[in-house]
Amino acid sequence: MTTLPLDGIRVIDFTQVMLGPCCTQVLADYGAEVIKIEKVKIGDLSRWSLGSDPDGLNNPVFCSLNRNKKSLALDLKDASARNTVQALLETADVVVNNFRPGVMERMGFGYEDLKKINPRLIYAVGTGFGLTGPYQHKGGQDVLAQAVSGVMRRKSDNSHPTSIYATPLADYSAGMHLVQGILLALLQRDKTGEGQQVAVSLYNSMIAMQMQEGTTHLMRQKDLNWGAFPLTGVFETTDSAIVMVGAFKPNPLRDICEALEIEDLSQYPHYKDFDAQMARRPELQAIFRDNFAKNSTAHWIERLEAVDILCAPVRSLPEALRDEQTIINKMILEAGETAAGPIRLIGSPIDMSAAQVSVRFAPPQLGQHNEEILASLSGLQGDAA
């Protein structure tokens, strides 16, 4: 059997929805034993994200975030259930939650409580806005973080309406930052023997994502917008759309014009360099739109690549999932069959030659591992007695 990097690491997972579960799924994929604590009868809220799955058993949203985990369903209002969790925490390496500040403390599972019983514990927290400050108790959610952090206001074209980005950027980014923090804390524990608290927030992750733009504003009071560069854009073709990035070359405009089979606009003074092109961006973009509309996406991809201009077709997600590159990259995993059909999941973007991700456990049914986990605790308690 392949040894995975996190074999032997036990994670107690209080998380739900996306920020926390996408973090703990990475830990589970790479060998950690992840015990997911869920509410009895209800479970993780993502079990109920789609109305088309009324029993919540095989909800694609839940399945996408919870493979390779074990589910322990408990009523944490009950003292015996809290005692069970405390016994697990005494044996854990990591505990993860994405509640608002104060929730874990009210249950007796705050960092200060737990480090007394398990000084080696890594206590990982994901919040909306941070553990302190004026927004600490504000409900955190991906769309709110997009809005408050400035991400939602950023557009490649100011004529476009301000809108919500359709993929949860903040949840995924914060989840991956939480993975990084946990791994760093585990490495530090190897040196010091002590655990620590690790915290991330949706808000901080969105600010961090804008590191280039933010630093440019802080140092030069200028706006940096890669999507608004004059030779970059999305253009409709006769059958679809193409995205082009005219950059990283001495004279990309000349090469674009060659591909489009039009005169070399870079010969004109008002298009001679980047600043001149930025000043006349609407004109250039209109010229590009008119010409790209005359032929197919495949035609223009071939023409642009022949002169080494970066470009790609603009595709739908189903098209991307069918792509041969997606299959070769092992980005689709099979996790068994259910009455509703096969469980097919998005794989890990990390490719390790000696630690390949596989589905060791399908996304668990609610409370599926109660008997196994409780029996293991009874054995430990018996040994101690």
Side-chain angles (χ1 to χ4, degrees):
M1 179 180 290
T2 301
T3 299
L4 293 171
L6 296 176
D7 280 346
I9 297 296
R10 170 172 275 189
V11 178
I12 308 304
D13 180 7
F14 286 90
T15 70
Q16 57 180 326
V17 188
M18 184 170 181
L19 187 171
C22 73
C23 161
T24 54
Q25 180 165 271
V26 172
L27 304 178
D29 278 349
Y30 289 95
E33 179 193 25
V34 176
I35 298 174
K36 185 176 180 70
I37 309 297
E38 298 192 74
K39 291 182 180 179
V40 290
K41 299 182 181 178
I42 298 172
D44 187 325
L45 293 176
S46 69
R47 290 185 182 274
W48 309 96
S49 294
L50 300 175
S52 60
D53 189 27
D55 59 9
L57 294 179
N58 296 294
N59 188 298
V61 176
F62 177 82
C63 288
S64 73
L65 297 162
N66 289 286
R67 63 173 174 258
N68 291 328
K69 302 179 186 180
K70 299 176 180 179
S71 172
L72 177 62
L74 297 171
D75 178 3
L76 293 180
K77 294 179 181 178
D78 181 77
S80 64
R82 291 196 300 276
N83 289 338
T84 295
V85 171
Q86 180 155 324
L88 285 171
L89 291 167
E90 290 173 359
T91 68
D93 297 281
V94 182
V95 58
V96 191
N97 82 84
N98 60 337
F99 298 129
R100 294 190 197 189
V103 173
M104 289 287 281
E105 286 76 9
R106 288 194 292 274
M107 291 190 292
F109 301 140
Y111 176 56
E112 296 300 325
D113 300 308
L114 296 184
K115 74 177 184 179
K116 293 174 184 176
I117 65 170
N118 185 353
R120 289 175 54 81
L121 186 67
I122 309 301
Y123 190 91
V125 187
T127 66
F129 299 95
L131 295 176
T132 59
Y135 301 156
Q136 65 176 300
H137 294 295
K138 181 178 175 63
Q141 197 272 340
D142 183 275
V143 174
L144 304 187
Q146 290 182 37
V148 177
S149 66
V151 166
M152 195 178 288
R153 282 285 188 187
R154 298 194 60 78
K155 297 175 282 187
S156 59
D157 189 324
N158 286 330
S159 68
H160 295 166
T162 300
S163 62
I164 296 167
Y165 189 73
T167 293
L169 291 176
D171 276 325
Y172 185 77
S173 298
M176 295 306 99
H177 288 149
L178 195 54
V179 172
Q180 293 173 29
I182 290 168
L183 297 180
L184 291 169
L186 287 169
L187 286 170
Q188 190 168 11
R189 189 181 71 175
D190 285 344
K191 296 172 179 166
T192 66
E194 296 181 354
Q196 64 182 289
Q197 180 171 270
V198 175
V200 305
S201 69
L202 300 173
Y203 182 75
N204 285 1
S205 288
M206 287 293 88
I207 296 290
M209 181 176 282
Q210 302 170 92
M211 63 180 71
Q212 296 177 82
E213 299 88 341
T215 301
T216 300
H217 174 76
L218 291 169
M219 294 179 64
R220 297 288 184 270
Q221 292 74 54
K222 290 184 177 180
D223 179 51
L224 174 62
N225 188 332
W226 297 110
F229 277 20
L231 308 184
T232 294
V234 177
F235 306 99
E236 297 295 326
T237 65
T238 55
D239 59 356
S240 183
I242 187 172
V243 64
M244 175 180 72
V245 178
F248 312 116
K249 301 190 71 181
N251 188 354
L253 179 56
R254 178 192 60 204
D255 297 329
I256 292 168
C257 292
E258 180 182 340
L260 293 174
E261 299 181 280
I262 61 176
E263 63 177 324
D264 181 3
L265 298 175
S266 69
Q267 297 181 59
Y268 291 90
H270 49 274
Y271 296 135
K272 67 177 181 178
D273 56 25
F274 178 83
D275 289 338
Q277 292 162 13
M278 276 299 293
R280 293 177 177 265
R281 182 179 187 273
E283 294 175 21
L284 279 172
Q285 295 277 306
I287 292 169
F288 297 154
R289 278 196 300 273
D290 290 345
N291 282 276
F292 279 118
K294 295 175 181 178
N295 217 315
S296 68
T297 296
H299 172 83
W300 294 124
I301 294 286
E302 183 178 0
R303 293 284 305 174
L304 289 167
E305 288 186 341
V307 293
D308 198 27
I309 291 292
L310 295 170
C311 60
V314 179
R315 300 188 304 190
S316 66
L317 176 59
E319 288 172 328
L321 292 176
R322 291 193 297 268
D323 194 291
E324 181 184 6
Q325 192 68 56
T326 303
I327 307 304
I328 290 172
N329 289 356
K330 300 178 182 177
M331 286 304 296
I332 297 179
L333 298 177
E334 304 285 344
E337 293 277 342
T338 71
I343 299 176
R344 304 185 73 209
L345 308 171
I346 300 301
S348 171
I350 305 166
D351 184 8
M352 298 179 66
S353 62
Q356 291 293 311
V357 167
S358 64
V359 181
R360 305 189 312 283
F361 311 115
Q365 304 302 316
L366 180 60
Q368 178 179 336
H369 300 93
N370 272 45
E371 185 175 336
E372 171 194 332
I373 294 167
L374 295 176
S376 71
L377 284 176
S378 297
L380 287 173
Q381 291 164 353
D383 292 342

